[in-house]
Amino acid sequence: MGLKELPEKILNGSQFDKMNVTSSQESEKALIDSVAKNNRIEAIAYMPLEDSKIEPDVVVIIAKPRQIFDLIRANTYQEGKRMDNSVGGTQSLCGDIVVNSIQTNEPHISFGCIGSHMATELSEDQVIIGIPISKLEEIANSLNIIN
């Protein structure tokens, strides 16, 4: 997420050699090079939205596919704009959800990565969406209209 420099073994593609993430060190390096990185993030805090004492940059929602589908529809309701999304199966919560949502000011979807599935209780029947706080009210209002 840009909090510190990535270790050389991640940058050169050798980190995941034994994890069978990609077919080669070169393809792993290409994958890591394509993950969104943001050098302006200085700190990260995460908590349930209702407990937040500060306004978040991104709201992360983990839900069933149908619920995420409804959020996608709510996002397109006002302007008819399709969602662009980029996933690679690695750095999914960090890069695909948080950093991409901050950089683009648009929602992003992920299915999680090996790390997020191992480190959290993310189940096989859940999908993740990151919604920039600037879009949250519009999406919530649209969600009320379309449902």
Side-chain angles (χ1 to χ4, degrees), residues 66-139:
R66 175 54 199 241
Q67 294 166 312
I68 300 296
F69 169 72
D70 288 341
L71 290 168
I72 293 168
R73 289 182 51 235
N75 181 64
T76 61
Y77 180 75
Q78 292 296 325
E79 298 175 22
K81 183 178 176 189
R82 296 176 59 87
M83 278 181 58
D84 290 325
N85 206 57
S86 174
V87 295
T90 188
Q91 310 300 315
S92 297
L93 266 167
C94 306
D96 294 346
I97 295 292
V98 176
V99 176
N100 272 339
S101 296
I102 290 171
Q103 285 180 338
T104 65
N105 197 39
E106 294 291 340
H108 285 270
I109 297 171
S110 176
F111 302 95
C113 61
I114 293 169
S116 58
H117 281 275
M118 288 173 39
T120 70
E121 295 177 7
L122 184 64
S123 68
E124 293 178 6
D125 64 343
Q126 293 178 312
V127 180
I128 309 160
I129 188 168
I131 301 174
I133 195 67
S134 62
K135 300 275 186 173
L136 189 63
E137 185 175 356
E138 175 186 322
I139 289 173

